[in-house]
Amino acid sequence: MKAKNLILIAIMLILLFGCTNTNNQDYQKPSDNVESKIMVVYFSCTNTTTLIAQKIANYLHCKKEEIVPLTPYSSDDLNYNKASSRTNMESNDATSRPEIKKAINLENVNTIFLGYPIWYGKLPKIIYTFLETYKWDSCTIIPFCTSGSSGISTSVSEIRHLVPNASVLDGQRFASNASDQDIKKFVDGLKLA
């Protein structure tokens, strides 16, 4: 009887120490690898896209970086009803490339969730600047946009034209009131490794 008890105690100790061994300093959670390979990069003037970017980054436990224009957009710049507004003039100028305030470190990143608002049914020109700044070989770009009415397909076509060496997915358009469940459904549907 004593031998059986000793064997049971020994098995319990092995199991106990075997399970607690994964809490040491060398153990890395799977999300640590996700963080180094996936990043959310976004541009937002009214914080609508910022909220979606934050939800995606929170769900994936990954970094997020904002594309910040060197010259910020004022509310007058964003007045779509004014022909002389900055956004209107940029959208109508094929050569427009607004400057970005600081570079974004994409080292070790191979998948980017790229967020932006839809302006005049298209990609904001500052996203052109961002995409033309980096090399995109072997990268996957997952577009997401915010828009009250316009779809995402035109902007995805623009991205594919700008970065033909990247794998650009169809992406997702979100309304400003997108829920955590909407984000989860979108990300889970991508079946990322």
Side-chain angles (χ1 to χ4, degrees), residues 70-118:
L70 183 62
T71 304
Y73 289 85
S74 69
S75 57
D76 196 45
D77 291 335
L78 299 173
N79 185 347
Y80 303 112
N81 297 318
K82 186 177 172 185
S84 63
S85 75
R86 179 176 166 196
T87 54
N88 203 342
M89 291 190 305
E90 286 176 3
S91 291
N92 291 321
D93 180 359
T95 64
S96 177
R97 298 296 186 271
E99 289 184 72
I100 296 173
K101 190 172 186 174
K102 66 177 181 92
I104 294 174
N105 182 359
L106 299 177
E107 188 176 349
N108 297 323
V109 174
N110 63 17
T111 302
I112 292 185
F113 282 80
L114 180 60
Y116 48 88
I118 295 291

Side-chain angles (χ1 to χ4, degrees), residues 6 15 23 27 39 44 52 120 142 161:
L6 286 174
L15 289 173
N23 291 329
Y27 178 72
M39 182 184 285
S44 184
I52 304 301
Y120 304 97
I142 305 165
H161 177 75

Side-chain angles (χ1 to χ4, degrees), residues 74-187:
S74 69
S75 57
D76 196 45
D77 291 335
L78 299 173
N79 185 347
Y80 303 112
N81 297 318
K82 186 177 172 185
S84 63
S85 75
R86 179 176 166 196
T87 54
N88 203 342
M89 291 190 305
E90 286 176 3
S91 291
N92 291 321
D93 180 359
T95 64
S96 177
R97 298 296 186 271
E99 289 184 72
I100 296 173
K101 190 172 186 174
K102 66 177 181 92
I104 294 174
N105 182 359
L106 299 177
E107 188 176 349
N108 297 323
V109 174
N110 63 17
T111 302
I112 292 185
F113 282 80
L114 180 60
Y116 48 88
I118 295 291
W119 285 357
Y120 304 97
K122 300 179 188 176
L123 199 61
K125 293 296 179 152
I126 197 164
I127 300 297
Y128 279 61
T129 307
F130 172 72
L131 292 171
E132 291 173 349
T133 301
Y134 300 92
K135 292 187 177 185
W136 298 100
D137 298 340
S138 304
C139 282
T140 299
I141 298 175
I142 305 165
F144 67 94
C145 72
T146 53
S147 172
S149 60
S150 297
I152 193 171
S153 61
T154 299
S155 66
V156 171
S157 295
E158 290 174 275
I159 294 170
R160 287 180 175 140
H161 177 75
L162 290 165
V163 290
N165 294 336
S167 172
V168 181
L169 304 188
D170 291 337
Q172 180 70 43
R173 174 192 160 285
F174 290 100
S176 59
N177 62 349
S179 68
D180 291 345
Q181 192 62 31
D182 295 329
I183 301 300
K184 181 181 184 318
K185 183 178 177 183
F186 167 57
V187 174

Side-chain angles (χ1 to χ4, degrees), residues 5 12 14 17 24-25 28 40 53 60 81-82 90-91 94 98 101 106 140 164 174 186 192:
N5 286 343
M12 289 174 58
I14 290 169
F17 287 114
N24 67 27
Q25 295 286 341
Q28 287 189 337
V40 176
L60 288 170
N81 297 318
K82 186 177 172 185
E90 286 176 3
S91 291
K101 190 172 186 174
L106 299 177
T140 299
F174 290 100
F186 167 57
L192 299 173

